[in-house]
Amino acid sequence: MDRAAMVRPDRLASRLEELSRIGGTPGGGVSRFPYSKEHAEAVRLVAGWMEEAGLKPCCDALGNLIGTSEGSRSQEGWPSIVLGSHLDTVPEGGIFDGALGVVAAVEVAAAIHEGGLRLGHPLSIVGFAAEEAYAYGVGALASRCLVGGLSRSRCSDLVGYDGRTLGTAIASFTTGLLSGCLPRAIGVYLELHAEQGPVLWKAGWRVAAVSVITGIVRTTVTITGEANHAGTTPMSQRRDALVGAAEFVLAARSLATQLGPPAVGTVGALLVRPGASNVVPGDVEMMVEFRSHDAAHLRSIRDRAEECLGTIGQRENLVCRVDSWDLRDPVPLDQNIQEVVSIAIRGAGHEPRVVPSGAGHDAMVMAQCAPAGMVFVPSIGGVSHSPRERTDWDDVALGAEVLLRTVMLLDGQGRLPVRTLPEPPERLEIGTYSDREVRR
Ligand code: HGY
Ligand code: MN
Ligand code: MN
């Protein structure tokens, strides 16, 4: 790789630490939710870094931050090389999940810009607004809207973590940036991410390409019994919704363990109403998800979960209601891109490795539009979605260097095949981004 283009480890680390302070939590984690003031602050911070790297920043109709720069062959219709990840986090999440991919993508642009190099392809960088399912119960929401996988009607009425609908939240989301959209002609999508699991860390591998992203099936289950006096209601006359929910939590674990790896199952959130010590719980709402790299697992475990709920409802005299399941099949990533990432890893002086992803990513959505690839760096102890999430700073720099090398290799291959994104999502009652608003 041309020695002129070099990532700067010090800048990567200091920027990741600076970004982590936006929504930072006392335990050293971060809570940065879509369309919050912390999200707007993070967008403005990263947009400034984009400008320093020679990119033009804007925000699209879903609050995705986008930075673009022309290539020397843009006029000949060469499509964009798109790099990205997400700016939102889970509650008390880690400082690397999502942020690493966005900051490293900007670092790649800066290395090319500062090295006086010019790609043939235009370069676009995306900081997706809402990847975590926490905020609206839907994973990869912003990228799925971008590629047309979710319609406005389905989205703007979604009620979020803060009680606002998505449409309302976006309408009041202002960043001061110009409005714009991701160029529709794209050639490839690449995402650097921490593995969020133990494979690389246990094997002592420092960087890897990703072969497949897990499938996920997710829903909200509401169990309804009868709120009643905790002191006077005999045990034989109770319809205790939390007892039913507890039985289902254990059943969900059994369903996953009976299938065996890579199937996993989690009830990650549980809301008990009315939630008083002296009231028999009348109503419980649970967020349920199952994952596997085997698409058949997803459907069979979904059907068996519904059977379990039917049995629990009968046995405990409860009403169990299942919302529509959000099912996303496993996504194999592009073989050619995997090869290029492996060549980049070798070029960086490391043995190429390829691993599956147990976490979901925006790359599984962008892969519907264009060849997509991911680069993983280890999560220390395999810990993620936790304030204890950590990646060694040398591995952060290595991941960014592999991303840069992959971009240079792909650009050097000549014109990438053009894939066209669907029409940009119509404006979801968007707030005013700026008085200098232009639509590109
Ligand atoms: O849930 C996931 O797998 C990702 O971290 N959003
Ligand atoms: Mn995550
Ligand atoms: Mn992530």
Side-chain angles (χ1 to χ4, degrees):
M1 181 178 71
D2 186 303
R3 297 315 299 164
M6 297 279 287
V7 299
R8 282 186 37 200
D10 56 320
R11 179 168 57 189
L12 264 170
S14 63
R15 284 182 168 177
L16 264 168
E17 285 177 333
E18 186 176 358
L19 180 54
S20 73
R21 286 192 283 274
I22 301 177
T25 52
V30 56
S31 294
R32 190 168 55 237
F33 306 138
Y35 316 114
S36 62
K37 63 178 174 39
E38 294 80 10
H39 178 198
E41 193 184 335
V43 163
R44 284 190 289 271
L45 177 67
V46 179
W49 297 339
M50 285 178 163
E51 285 182 313
E52 289 173 32
L55 300 165
K56 287 196 182 75
C58 67
C59 255
D60 74 1
L62 292 140
N64 297 313
L65 167 61
I66 295 155
T68 51
S69 66
E70 290 302 307
S72 60
R73 314 291 288 269
S74 292
Q75 302 314 317
E76 298 160 54
W78 286 31
S80 280
I81 291 177
V82 184
L83 313 179
S85 196
H86 56 96
L87 286 172
D88 64 320
T89 72
V90 294
E92 297 282 333
I95 69 169
F96 294 89
D97 180 4
L100 167 61
V102 178
V103 174
V106 175
E107 186 60 33
V108 166
I112 292 168
H113 183 64
E114 290 160 0
L117 301 177
R118 194 134 185 257
L119 299 178
H121 295 85
L123 181 65
S124 295
I125 290 174
V126 194
F128 288 107
E131 189 275 340
E132 299 293 356
Y134 164 73
Y136 293 92
V138 175
L141 174 67
S143 52
R144 288 165 80 179
C145 287
L146 188 75
V147 304
L150 283 173
S151 68
R152 167 181 174 159
S153 55
R154 164 81 199 267
C155 290
S156 56
D157 300 335
L158 283 173
V159 177
Y161 63 98
D162 56 359
R164 297 184 298 173
T165 63
L166 176 63
T168 308
I170 291 186
S172 57
F173 181 62
T174 51
T175 62
L177 268 69
L178 294 177
S179 70
C181 53
L182 189 65
R184 290 182 52 222
I186 61 176
V188 65
Y189 175 80
L190 297 172
E191 181 167 357
L192 170 64
H193 208 290
E195 182 207 338
Q196 298 186 285
V199 173
L200 270 67
W201 178 73
K202 273 191 178 153
W205 299 340
R206 293 190 53 208
V207 64
V210 178
S211 52
V212 57
I213 300 177
T214 186
I216 304 176
V217 61
R218 184 180 275 139
T219 192
T220 302
V221 171
T222 307
I223 297 187
T224 305
E226 185 182 39
N228 213 328
H229 196 294
T232 57
T233 311
M235 293 308 284
S236 61
Q237 289 170 30
R238 294 183 178 206
R239 295 180 56 225
D240 186 331
L242 186 51
V243 167
E247 289 178 12
F248 182 73
V249 168
L250 294 173
R253 180 176 65 172
S254 308
L255 288 174
T257 47
Q258 282 158 20
L259 271 182
V264 292
T266 315
V267 176
L270 192 132
L271 183 65
V272 182
R273 290 184 279 253
S277 66
N278 58 354
V279 180
V280 175
D283 179 273
V284 174
E285 192 175 295
M286 298 186 278
M287 292 294 292
V288 182
E289 67 155 64
F290 298 98
R291 304 187 185 203
S292 177
H293 296 113
D294 178 339
H297 279 178
L298 299 174
R299 288 159 177 80
S300 71
I301 208 165
R302 172 198 60 192
D303 298 345
R304 294 184 57 205
E306 293 200 346
E307 286 162 18
C308 279
L309 285 163
T311 310
I312 290 169
Q314 273 174 354
R315 187 169 58 233
E316 303 293 347
N317 188 15
L318 299 168
V319 176
C320 299
R321 185 170 56 76
V322 182
D323 278 8
S324 55
W325 290 88
D326 180 17
L327 190 151
R328 285 184 286 154
D329 276 316
V331 176
L333 293 179
D334 185 89
Q335 198 69 42
N336 299 328
I337 306 295
Q338 237 181 87
E339 284 302 312
V340 177
V341 171
S342 294
I343 294 167
I345 290 173
R346 194 180 295 282
H350 292 265
E351 190 57 32
R353 310 286 182 183
V354 181
V355 295
S357 173
H361 300 286
D362 290 303
M364 69 199 292
V365 175
M366 296 304 286
Q368 294 164 24
C369 302
M374 288 194 79
V375 181
F376 267 1
V377 288
S379 294
I380 295 173
V383 173
S384 179
H385 280 186
S386 154
R388 293 184 302 112
E389 177 185 285
R390 285 292 176 272
T391 292
D392 187 289
W393 290 116
D394 290 341
D395 294 344
V396 165
L398 175 58
E401 183 184 345
V402 168
L403 190 65
L404 173 59
R405 286 175 178 271
T406 304
V407 167
M408 303 302 283
L409 286 166
L410 285 170
D411 189 57
Q413 287 181 351
R415 188 172 186 270
L416 289 166
V418 178
R419 300 293 199 293
T420 307
L421 276 176
E423 273 300 313
E426 68 280 24
R427 303 161 77 75
L428 286 170
E429 294 88 41
I430 210 67
T432 48
Y433 279 97
S434 86
D435 54 6
R436 297 175 292 132
E437 182 164 286
V438 290
R439 194 128 183 88
R440 290 215 176 92

